[in-house]
């Protein structure tokens, strides 16, 4: 293998120090094994609460809480562990991931409300949900740039009104 993917972790994970240390160990092991690249799947939570407009990869890392802090520290641990080695890195920051059978997402929780005919629309008609489908993410990860180090972020913005329509249609 010449590429390793670090996709470990879950939202709300309380072991921040252990996560950061494990990420650094993983990166060092990849460099020692002579891997060409390490891809770290991170989160847009590192930017902090949503601000108006688009947030790019150059935005300050102002995440709040143990989860965001552990992901910021893990990114730093990974890049520091690979500094001065032949192993390159890609930090890929994503929003909420969506896919069949993913019970922890906001949409799964909304599904239970739809059973009662309730859809709590969060704001103006054009409000969107920053998210990414797991199949789309997999396709994007397979097409990452080959050379150098890079921080990337991918997101789709689905309108809540479209989400409500799709969920109602799927419900029947």
């Amino acid at each position: 293998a010449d590429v390793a993917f670090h996709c470990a972790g879950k939202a709300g994970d309380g072991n921040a120090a252990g996560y950061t240390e494990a990420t650094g160990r993983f990166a060092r092991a990849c460099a020692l094994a002579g891997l060409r690249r390490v891809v770290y799947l991170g989160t847009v939570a590192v930017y902090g609460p949503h601000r108006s407009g688009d947030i790019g990869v150059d935005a300050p890392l102002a995440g709040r809480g143990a989860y965001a802090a552990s992901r910021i520290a893990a990114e730093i641990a990974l890049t520091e562990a690979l500094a001065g080695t032949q192993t390159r890195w890609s930090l890929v920051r994503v929003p909420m991931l969506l896919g069949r059978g993913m019970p922890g997402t906001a949409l799964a929780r909304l599904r239970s409300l739809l059973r009662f005919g309730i859809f709590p629309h969060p704001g103006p008609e054009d409000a969107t949900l920053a998210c990414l489908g797991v199949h789309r993410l997999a396709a994007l990860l397979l097409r990452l740039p080959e050379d150098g180090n890079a921080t990337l972020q991918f997101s789709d913005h689905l309108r809540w009104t479209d989400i409500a329509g799709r969920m109602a249609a799927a419900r029947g």
Side-chain angles (χ1 to χ4, degrees):
D2 63 348
V3 178
F5 291 86
H6 181 298
C7 303
K10 63 179 182 172
D13 187 359
N15 187 7
Y19 180 79
T20 300
E21 184 180 322
T23 300
R25 278 195 321 268
F26 177 77
R28 286 188 295 279
C30 290
L32 285 172
L35 269 64
R36 185 175 48 81
R37 175 170 301 282
V38 173
V39 177
Y40 174 82
L41 187 59
T43 174
V44 295
V46 298
Y47 301 123
H50 181 68
R51 299 172 291 251
S52 61
D54 289 333
I55 299 172
V57 296
D58 56 345
L61 302 182
R64 294 185 189 158
Y67 175 72
S70 71
R71 286 359 188 220
I72 293 168
E75 286 187 6
I76 293 167
L78 183 132
T79 57
E80 287 178 353
L82 296 177
T85 72
Q86 295 298 311
T87 302
R88 299 291 159 242
W89 50 262
S90 294
L91 303 177
V92 180
R93 297 178 182 147
V94 297
M96 179 192 315
L97 292 176
L98 303 176
R100 278 195 201 283
M102 296 180 71
T105 68
L107 294 183
R109 291 186 286 276
L110 286 174
R111 192 172 298 120
S112 64
L113 291 174
L114 278 177
R115 289 185 188 126
F116 298 106
I118 301 169
F119 187 85
H121 190 277
E125 185 175 327
D126 62 347
T128 62
L129 171 68
C131 59
L132 192 62
V134 293
H135 294 286
R136 184 161 138 66
L137 173 62
L140 291 166
L141 290 175
L142 291 173
R143 293 192 311 264
L144 290 176
E146 292 288 323
D147 298 324
N149 299 323
T151 301
L152 308 155
Q153 127 184 347
F154 303 108
S155 180
D156 292 326
H157 296 277
L158 302 179
R159 289 178 41 161
W160 279 101
T161 52
D162 294 338
I163 293 169
R166 289 181 187 177
M167 291 180 82
R171 191 176 133 242

